[in-house]
Amino acid sequence: LLKRTILLTILLVVKSFFIHLSPARQEITVVQLQIFELLLGPGLYFGYYFTSYLWGRGYTLGGIIFGVVALPTQAAGPLDHQLSFKQCLARAMATVFGLFLAGLPFLLPLFRKDRRGLADLLGKSYLADQKGTPAEQPKTQGPEAPSEKKAA
């Protein structure tokens, strides 16, 4: 209810602003707002994801809520679990690119066995729980245990 009230208030303020403009100025203002939104939206998304990955040690707000962190696939050492500048840049760019394509790249994990998305592939990273275990580990076929071998 509060969210709807706030949105209605904003709508009424914007509407009252446009009523006082001439029709020609209204058209120009709408076009300028659309251009501003087209440029500002992706910039804000990119800035949020880039800074979250870089300074938030791989966490975004959604990652904190769901307990998921982005980690590099190849760490230099056992304590190197932070994304590099390039990886943060690639993950943020892939996320914004996915938004431009109506979210279709976000469906990629549904079709991959390792459940990695476009941001994971371009950023050479993977999503893991807070303990560092990959969110979806691929099943590997290893040698059978001695107790599982069939008697001949």
Side-chain angles (χ1 to χ4, degrees):
L1 181 64
L2 180 64
K3 189 176 185 181
R4 286 183 183 180
T5 307
I6 292 171
L7 289 175
L8 182 62
T9 305
I10 292 171
L11 179 67
L12 290 175
V13 168
V14 170
K15 195 174 185 182
S16 67
F17 169 74
F18 278 110
I19 290 173
H20 298 294
L21 295 176
S22 67
R25 185 66 187 156
Q26 285 179 3
E27 290 179 23
I28 293 171
T29 304
V30 167
V31 171
Q32 289 173 340
L33 286 174
Q34 289 173 343
I35 292 171
F36 181 70
E37 183 181 289
L38 184 65
L39 297 175
L40 182 68
L44 288 175
Y45 275 117
F46 176 80
Y48 165 72
Y49 283 105
F50 179 72
T51 56
S52 293
Y53 290 131
L54 188 63
W55 294 331
R57 298 182 181 222
Y59 285 100
T60 60
L61 181 60
I64 292 169
I65 292 170
F66 292 106
V68 177
V69 62
L71 297 173
T73 53
Q74 306 221 347
L79 299 176
D80 186 24
H81 292 295
Q82 192 168 352
L83 296 173
S84 69
F85 182 83
K86 282 184 184 179
Q87 289 172 316
C88 294
L89 189 66
R91 284 189 67 87
M93 287 175 30
T95 302
V96 172
F97 180 69
L99 293 172
F100 275 117
L101 295 178
L104 292 176
F106 299 126
L107 299 176
L108 186 62
L110 298 174
F111 304 104
R112 292 183 51 92
K113 288 183 181 181
D114 61 359
R115 300 287 185 226
R116 291 175 66 200
L118 183 64
D120 298 323
L121 296 172
L122 293 179
K124 296 180 181 149
S125 58
Y126 67 97
L127 292 179
D129 62 10
Q130 292 180 348
K131 297 174 187 170
T133 308
E136 180 70 29
Q137 290 182 349
K139 294 181 174 91
T140 57
Q141 295 290 336
E144 293 180 349
S147 61
E148 294 178 4
K149 290 185 179 179
K150 294 180 181 177

